[in-house]
Amino acid sequence: MDAFVNWARNQSVTPAEVRTPASAAEVADAVRDAARTGRRVRMTGTGHSFTGVALTDGVLLRPNALTGVLGAGDGWVKVAAGTPLHALNEELHRRGLALANMGDITAQTAAGAIQTGTHGSGRDTGGLADQVAELEMVLADGSVATVREGDLFDAARVGLGALGILTAVTFRVEPAFLLRARREPMAFGRILDTLDDLTGADDHLDFFWLPHTDTCLVKRNNRDAGPARPPTAFKRWLDEVFLENTAFGAACALGARFPRAVPAINRASARLLGASEHVDASHRVFTSVREVRFLETEYAIPRRHLARALREVRDLLDRSGRPVTFPVEVRVTPPSDAWLSTAYGRDSAYVACHVYRGAPDPEYFAGVEEIMTRLEGRPHWGKLHTRDADYLRGVYPRFGDFVALRREMDPHGLFANDYLDRVLGASRDG
């Protein structure tokens, strides 16, 4: 039987059965068959979650045949749930369209990305779930529902696959646009002193602090009237392939073998950072190549707590002496109205901490979690954390409503798994 292994290779399962449905009707058949035989059913994405959110020991549905654009109109595009984001970007660009905002990973499926709350960084524009206009989903009774408003819509956009299996997503889109991408190194201390101005000045702000140094790389992306001035093919290869992947991967491997050398490695990396600027299609600016495998934890906190959170993460590393090669990434988003969005109801800042896959460090992540939970943090659903339903009930105002809706829609736990039972509580009969 086929095993499912995620991208980071820290989650795997061998289900009782694997199917590759090519339509909503075939997904519905799989759901009815699972219910009849007393098995649970889940659909995977492409495995870019670090948690066990997609795992099942029952019927595992692969999304490979559920792909492509299903329809388009004035300001909207409907895509099959398994469509990879890179394919969606290319098709939108061909049609002269674009998503208003997105994260930097494009290997994810459309459904997998919104179900786990994937987000980018935006002063005024939220994550992918905030750009959804309609969902097509298979419910626990095997029926196919189209949802575009109301409680189910607000719950299911970031639904963790707990309310039904998504088979298609309709996104709001807009005419294609250009972004001016500016990168520059900046001192960590200066960033802490100017955070309010920094997070409010640009359409999209993203910065990376290199542990064991006082250096950050700040990325500012703003809409631009053009003309486009993309980087040359060599410059793109140098930055995105060689420096950010080949050379960085070698530095991580060296640090894993010689942990005491990590501070010196990071200081050397910091000296290589320089300023740059180009103008390109939005999807090429938003996204990045990520080939070095890592593990990640990320928390969303109220934006007003960001400076404190960063100081405490820096102090944690200073006290512990933990060798961390991967930068700490910071992004911001406006409030969301999706019930389980990590940005629900508040201006949010995201602090993401990574470690090289070859040098896992659970104690580092535990220290970060202790900081973030004191600051009302909400863990990213697809990234490593140890929070459970008791904790999450206290940081999500609509958590109880979501759990009640889950019990109503899936009373027998057909869509449940161990991860959902931890973060949402056990289903009533499952």
Side-chain angles (χ1 to χ4, degrees), residues 26 33-34 47 60 86 101 118 141 158 170 177 197 247 259 274 388 395:
E26 291 184 8
D33 289 347
L60 185 144
H86 64 81
N101 193 9
T118 292
D141 63 1
V158 184
T170 300
F177 59 95
D197 293 337
D388 60 15
V395 293

Side-chain angles (χ1 to χ4, degrees), residues 225-312:
R229 295 190 300 279
T232 64
F234 174 77
K235 176 65 173 172
R236 193 181 293 277
W237 172 85
L238 180 65
D239 288 343
E240 297 183 3
V241 177
F242 181 74
L243 292 177
E244 295 182 6
N245 286 282
T246 306
F248 180 62
C252 289
L254 183 63
R257 185 173 182 183
F258 303 104
R260 292 183 181 180
V262 166
I265 292 170
N266 286 9
R267 288 193 294 270
S269 298
R271 287 193 290 270
L272 295 175
L273 298 177
S276 66
E277 182 175 306
H278 65 272
V279 179
D280 207 348
S282 60
H283 68 280
R284 297 191 187 113
V285 173
F286 283 136
T287 61
S288 303
V289 178
R290 293 284 181 264
E291 294 178 350
V292 180
R293 294 182 193 265
F294 56 85
L295 301 171
E296 180 180 1
T297 187
E298 181 182 59
Y299 271 76
I301 57 175
R303 203 179 300 181
R304 66 183 183 276
H305 295 326
L306 179 56
R308 177 180 172 186
L310 292 175
R311 288 189 179 97
E312 292 197 21

Side-chain angles (χ1 to χ4, degrees), residues 63-77:
N64 309 58
L66 274 173
T67 61
V69 172
L70 304 178
D74 185 15
W76 61 271
V77 169

Side-chain angles (χ1 to χ4, degrees), residues 122-124 182 184 186 194-205 218-223 303 332:
R123 179 188 55 205
D124 307 309
R182 293 173 52 205
E184 61 179 328
M186 185 180 294
T194 60
L195 265 181
D196 288 343
D197 293 337
L198 197 63
T199 55
D202 299 286
D203 293 339
H204 308 276
L205 173 77
V218 179
K219 298 182 178 181
R220 308 170 191 262
N221 299 327
N222 290 284
R223 296 203 179 202
R303 203 179 300 181
V332 296

Side-chain angles (χ1 to χ4, degrees), residues 159-237:
L160 312 181
L163 304 176
I165 296 176
L166 265 60
T167 51
V169 181
T170 300
F171 289 102
R172 291 188 298 274
V173 294
E174 59 183 87
F177 59 95
L178 298 172
L179 286 174
R180 179 186 298 269
R182 293 173 52 205
R183 297 184 177 194
E184 61 179 328
M186 185 180 294
F188 186 80
R190 181 184 168 198
I191 283 181
L192 292 179
D193 291 340
T194 60
L195 265 181
D196 288 343
D197 293 337
L198 197 63
T199 55
D202 299 286
D203 293 339
H204 308 276
L205 173 77
D206 191 358
F207 68 85
F208 299 79
W209 168 56
L210 201 55
H212 316 296
T213 78
D214 189 46
T215 302
C216 297
L217 178 65
V218 179
K219 298 182 178 181
R220 308 170 191 262
N221 299 327
N222 290 284
R223 296 203 179 202
D224 194 272
R229 295 190 300 279
T232 64
F234 174 77
K235 176 65 173 172
R236 193 181 293 277
W237 172 85

